Amino acid sequence: MSKSDKLLLVFANAIKAGGGIHSAAELAFMLGEPYTPAFTKFLADRVKKGQLRRVAQGLYESVLTPPEPETAIYKIIKKLRSDELSYISLESQLSHTGEISQVMMDRVTVVTKGRSGIFATPYGVIEFTHTKRPVEQLVAHLYFDPDIKMYRANTQQALTDLKYCQRNLHMLERE
């Protein structure tokens, strides 16, 4: 079996297990290959040949067995900030709970203890906003959403985050 076939098999098995988005280092590990510049070039070649799609820097999905589109962006979020507390908040969460009438269609706003940043993906834009507040102040106001397998802010925390980050408050239905 060729290395390309093994790679596609890894992605197909990952989909069965609920995965589908993998870093280059994870793919090297799953294939039993060293994570080297040569392996990175191998992945770039698979992208050029149309077998893989780069969804963010260093993250890939198979074009033959992509993840479910409804949850793929959340998988990317978790991979981009896997070492830090991150949760859906700000405008995305307020739209989710109906506190604002605007529907966030192409952007997910995330509060993180990691670095701020904006990432364009095939599934929409991910906007990370850093918070300096201690985790202990945040965790009591978060809940786990099993549909996306991520934490979300409760409504009060999302409003607090919006004000703390000095974001647009004019879109709130009530204030």
Side-chain angles (χ1 to χ4, degrees):
M1 182 181 285
S2 74
K3 189 160 51 168
S4 295
D5 291 339
K6 286 180 188 176
L7 179 66
L8 296 176
L9 183 62
V10 161
F11 273 106
N13 289 334
I15 288 296
K16 293 176 194 170
I21 305 289
H22 297 287
S23 70
E26 289 170 336
L27 292 170
F29 175 78
M30 289 187 282
L31 288 172
E33 297 279 333
Y35 179 50
T36 62
F39 186 78
T40 304
K41 182 175 179 339
F42 165 72
L43 293 178
D45 290 345
R46 298 302 103 206
V47 170
K48 285 180 188 170
K49 291 194 186 297
Q51 292 177 323
L52 295 183
R53 178 162 72 162
R54 185 176 169 267
V55 294
Q57 185 173 347
L59 297 179
Y60 301 88
E61 71 178 4
S62 167
V63 296
L64 297 176
T65 55
E68 293 181 26
E70 300 82 25
T71 58
I73 197 163
Y74 302 107
K75 291 176 183 183
I76 296 168
I77 291 168
K78 290 186 289 187
K79 293 286 183 177
L80 288 171
R81 292 291 183 272
S82 60
D83 295 341
E84 304 289 346
L85 172 67
S86 297
Y87 60 93
I88 307 299
S89 189
L90 304 164
E91 295 89 352
S92 290
Q93 182 62 11
L94 293 171
S95 174
H96 178 75
T97 61
E99 294 297 315
I100 59 175
S101 59
Q102 292 86 347
V103 177
M104 301 290 289
M105 300 209 32
D106 64 344
R107 179 173 292 258
V108 178
T109 52
V110 181
V111 172
T112 182
K113 290 295 293 173
R115 291 176 39 192
S116 293
I118 297 176
F119 296 86
T121 77
Y123 299 99
V125 175
I126 301 167
E127 181 180 353
F128 288 103
T129 301
H130 174 76
T131 184
K132 292 180 181 178
R133 295 196 314 229
V135 172
E136 296 79 28
Q137 286 182 7
L138 301 170
V139 293
H141 307 285
L142 305 179
Y143 67 93
F144 187 76
D145 183 341
D147 294 333
I148 63 170
K149 295 179 178 59
M150 274 193 75
Y151 285 97
R152 289 183 177 274
N154 64 24
T155 301
Q156 190 55 49
Q157 183 62 47
L159 289 167
T160 301
D161 289 340
L162 197 70
K163 292 173 184 170
Y164 182 79
C165 296
Q166 301 176 344
R167 305 276 285 225
N168 293 332
L169 298 173
H170 69 277
M171 65 177 71
L172 295 174
E173 296 294 310
R174 61 174 176 81
E175 188 166 12

